[in-house]
Amino acid sequence: MKNILKAPFVEEMKKTTANMYRLGWDERNGGNISYMLDEAEVSKYLNLNKVIRKIDLGFDATELIGRIFIVTGTGKYFKNIEFDPETNLGIIQIAGDGKTAKLLWGWRDGGRFTSEFPAHMMSHIARLKVDPENRVIMHTHPTYTIAMNTVCPVDEKDFTHKLWQSNTEAVVVFPDGVGVLPCMVCGTNEIGIATAEKMEKTRLVVWTNHGIYGAGKTMDEAFGLIETVEKTAQIYMLTLGHTVNVIPDSIIKALADLWHLTPVEGILDI
Ligand code: 2HA
Ligand code: ZN
């Protein structure tokens, strides 16, 4: 068996969470990531028949039976992951009943997956339906995104439009737009269902007064989406009340055309 602490997917989790922490997005235990792994790849590092313990899911994940994920733990701090991955991360496989997870590695202090596990697994199910190559669901609390969401109506078309109008990269990076959920109680199956519903149409979902979810085929894709929203929200907030130039809809459309992208319908007035 190879050393799991040197596995590329553990390295990726360490680097990404450290990066997000230093960007100021993940205070205390804020934020969580789940990353679907390839079974053959994981078997190089772990005996998949050796189950440390079973953890109740509290929701139905039949569609993910057998799938393996590396996940951040509940109550764990992103800032600590790089120094002690085996306490702060876990690798689980969804058991054959679709109702429990088999812990294969990690959470050595008796911990368990993030409180947002329902939203993560339900989002994986939703994204895999529209993109079989999706692997990553990322949740974080980026400051300017939350600030912009605080001063804008809960209206995903309006929010997406404002982002596209503020940065020429925005429509190119997320032509599928940004979904917006109203303020809800987090950590519940209800917010998981609502997030997954949005994830069938877009890779980005804002949770009002809380943070954002991003999805991607790779860690870079999910991170890059959130990073672009956050940069754009920063520009929006820095200029709020002083704006003179917004990007016209004709230019937004031309930018999308240039990259052969179709902006989600119902936003541009052209
Ligand atoms: O895990 O971010 O949404 C802490 C959170 C809850
Ligand atoms: Zn959160």
Side-chain angles (χ1 to χ4, degrees):
M1 285 283 158
K2 290 192 182 181
N3 179 2
I4 182 97
L5 293 171
K6 299 250 156 58
F9 47 82
V10 173
E11 283 295 321
E12 261 189 292
M13 290 293 279
K14 281 162 55 181
K15 282 188 185 141
T16 307
T17 49
N19 196 9
M20 293 166 78
Y21 172 68
R22 285 187 196 100
L23 284 164
W25 298 355
D26 298 282
E27 76 293 341
R28 201 177 180 272
N29 62 318
N32 24 76
I33 300 178
S34 59
Y35 182 10
M36 196 169 89
L37 305 175
D38 179 54
E39 185 171 327
E41 173 74 3
V42 181
S43 351
K44 293 181 197 160
Y45 301 90
L46 294 175
N47 175 356
L48 300 184
N49 296 317
K50 214 172 139 197
V51 178
I52 301 171
R53 56 193 151 94
K54 288 197 168 185
I55 310 175
D56 246 8
L57 291 180
F59 61 94
D60 179 48
T62 304
E63 284 162 271
L64 295 173
I65 287 173
R67 301 284 206 169
I68 300 173
F69 298 88
I70 185 163
V71 192
T72 52
T74 183
K76 305 297 191 226
Y77 293 21
F78 271 23
K79 89 179 165 62
N80 295 338
I81 292 175
E82 63 177 324
F83 305 107
D84 187 2
E86 200 172 345
T87 301
N88 295 293
L89 299 174
I91 296 179
I92 57 103
Q93 183 170 34
I94 305 297
D97 61 3
K99 293 184 177 66
T100 45
K102 299 188 277 187
L103 180 64
L104 303 175
W105 176 82
W107 300 320
R108 65 173 163 185
D109 61 349
R112 50 185 277 140
F113 35 70
T114 164
S115 58
E116 303 299 358
F117 204 58
H120 277 257
M121 292 302 109
M122 292 177 195
S123 294
H124 276 287
I125 293 170
R127 286 310 302 168
L128 286 168
K129 278 185 200 150
V130 288
D131 177 7
E133 289 179 20
N134 193 82
R135 293 292 176 269
V136 178
I137 300 291
M138 183 180 283
H139 165 63
T140 179
H141 304 162
T143 313
Y144 288 94
T145 303
I146 300 168
M148 178 172 169
N149 161 250
T150 304
V151 301
C152 290
V154 178
D155 175 341
E156 58 199 18
K157 289 198 163 128
D158 178 67
F159 195 76
T160 299
H161 198 197
K162 286 185 165 120
L163 289 167
W164 288 356
Q165 285 176 321
S166 305
N167 173 1
T168 53
E169 289 299 299
V171 71
V172 178
V173 175
F174 46 92
D176 44 342
V178 179
V180 180
L181 286 183
C183 190
M184 293 175 74
V185 178
C186 55
T188 60
N189 288 351
E190 287 67 32
I191 202 166
I193 292 163
T195 307
E197 209 175 283
K198 298 282 182 202
M199 281 278 180
E200 286 184 15
K201 293 184 211 83
T202 169
R203 296 164 295 164
L204 286 160
V205 180
V206 166
W207 282 6
T208 290
N209 306 125
H210 182 140
I212 190 165
Y213 268 73
K217 296 175 182 33
T218 61
M219 203 68 89
D220 267 356
E221 183 184 354
F223 180 84
L225 283 164
I226 294 174
E227 182 181 36
T228 308
V229 169
E230 173 64 358
K231 172 68 176 274
T232 309
Q234 183 173 9
I235 295 166
Y236 184 88
M237 290 312 295
L238 288 172
T239 55
L240 187 64
H242 308 280
T243 311
V244 176
N245 304 308
V246 293
I247 307 167
D249 281 5
S250 58
I251 300 274
I252 296 172
K253 173 75 169 59
L255 285 162
D257 287 347
L258 185 67
W259 295 97
H260 311 291
L261 299 166
T262 310
V264 64
E265 271 181 41
I267 294 178
L268 300 179
D269 186 17
I270 40 168

